Amino acid sequence: MSGCFGRSCLGETQQKVYSMARTLGSENPNQVLDSGRKVMYAWMKGGDPNSIISLGRDLGLDENLTLTQEFVPELQSLRINGSHVSLPAEESALPGMYAEVYAEFSNLIKAQKLGFHRFGINVLQCGEDEYTRVGIDLNLGLAVVDGRLQGRSYRAGGPLVFGDKSELSQMDKITVHAYVDGGMVEAIFNNRTAIASPATPSSGSCGGVTLYGLEPTDESDNPIQAKVDVWALEGANASPA
C-alpha cells in the first residue's frame, strides 16, 4: 500500500492462527490483576485440520506500561547439545525443521538513511528458491513472517512501533527471536510484536537458515550489523522423525 506505515499497512485478518489465548499464573479467575509471573499459551491452527499448543510466552510491562512478551526460558531445554552455530552474513546453518534463532540487527539509523530497509532471516530453507522469511521492513514499519514460498497465500505482519515513522527512524537495534517447530514458525520482535504462521515445506530436508538483505549495493556498503545464534532443537509439539 503506497504511503502506508505500520498498522495502516495491514489488511484484514486472513486466518486466526493464534487464538483462544490464556494466561497461567494464579488460581484467581481474574489472574491478570495478581502479581507474579504471567505465561501465555494459545491454540494454533496449522496447515492441517489439527491444532497445536503454542510455545509459552512470558508477559510483562516495561517502564512505559507497554506490554512485552518473550519466549519462556524453559524452552532452552530443547536445545540439542553441540548444535549451536554463530551465523555471519556470508554463511548458512542447517539446524533442520526444529530450530531456534536469536538475531540482533544494529546500526539501523545509518542503514535507513542509506536506503537499506528490508532484511532478516530465512528459515526452513531448501536451495535458493524455497524458504519462509522472518523479516523486517523498515520502510513500512512492519515485522513480517512470509511463508508464500511454502504454502501460505499471504504474508503475516505486525507493527514494529506503535507511534509514527519518526519513532522507528531513531531505533538503532532490532532483535528477532524465532522458533521453528516443524510446520509452525513463531517469532517475537523487540520483545513486543509477535507473529505465528504455519509453513508447509516441500520435504523434511528443508532446514536451512540464512540471512538476507545484508548485501551491499553499487552505491554503498551495507551498514547493517548482524549477530545471529542458531540451535537445533528437539520438537516442542512433535519430535523429529
Side-chain angles (χ1 to χ4, degrees), residues 84-95 101 105 120-123 125 127-128 207-215 226-230:
H84 174 254
V85 176
S86 294
L87 190 66
E90 66 273 18
E91 295 183 5
S92 62
L94 189 62
V101 182
F105 298 98
I121 309 150
N122 296 323
V123 299
Q125 183 159 352
E128 296 295 324
V209 174
T210 60
L211 305 182
Y212 73 91
L214 304 184
E215 304 82 6
K227 182 180 183 299
V228 183
D229 293 296
V230 182

Side-chain angles (χ1 to χ4, degrees), residues 105 119-123 131-136 143-147 176-180 185-189 195 210 212:
F105 298 98
F119 54 90
I121 309 150
N122 296 323
V123 299
Y131 45 76
T132 288
R133 283 202 154 159
V134 181
I136 294 157
V144 175
V145 176
D146 186 353
V176 182
H177 196 180
Y179 278 87
V180 181
V185 178
E186 292 188 61
I188 299 177
F189 301 77
I195 302 173
T210 60
Y212 73 91

Side-chain angles (χ1 to χ4, degrees), residues 93-238:
L94 189 62
M97 293 181 64
Y98 297 82
E100 177 187 359
V101 182
Y102 185 83
E104 292 184 357
F105 298 98
S106 59
N107 207 23
L108 301 183
I109 293 176
K110 182 177 181 180
Q112 293 178 76
K113 292 178 179 177
L114 293 175
F116 293 94
H117 295 113
R118 296 178 179 88
F119 54 90
I121 309 150
N122 296 323
V123 299
L124 294 171
Q125 183 159 352
C126 285
E128 296 295 324
D129 301 319
E130 184 186 338
Y131 45 76
T132 288
R133 283 202 154 159
V134 181
I136 294 157
D137 189 323
L138 296 175
N139 193 43
L140 297 179
L142 292 178
V144 175
V145 176
D146 186 353
R148 289 178 294 176
L149 296 178
Q150 292 186 318
R152 307 301 291 160
S153 60
Y154 60 91
R155 297 189 302 169
L160 284 168
V161 296
F162 296 87
D164 58 21
K165 201 163 189 175
S166 64
E167 181 182 350
L168 186 59
S169 68
Q170 299 303 309
M171 186 178 291
D172 202 46
K173 183 176 77 172
I174 292 175
T175 62
V176 182
H177 196 180
Y179 278 87
V180 181
D181 195 39
M184 185 64 71
V185 178
E186 292 188 61
I188 299 177
F189 301 77
N190 277 351
N191 286 353
R192 294 178 69 183
T193 301
I195 302 173
S197 182
T200 309
S202 61
S203 78
S205 64
C206 294
V209 174
T210 60
L211 305 182
Y212 73 91
L214 304 184
E215 304 82 6
T217 65
D218 293 337
E219 294 78 24
S220 173
D221 290 336
N222 193 322
I224 299 174
Q225 297 174 6
K227 182 180 183 299
V228 183
D229 293 296
V230 182
W231 294 266
L233 303 179
E234 300 290 345
N237 276 286

Side-chain angles (χ1 to χ4, degrees), residues 59-76:
L59 303 182
L61 295 174
D62 66 13
E63 63 276 8
N64 298 314
L65 299 182
T66 299
L67 179 69
T68 63
Q69 48 189 328
E70 54 188 315
F71 291 114
V72 296
E74 288 84 353
L75 290 171
Q76 295 175 17

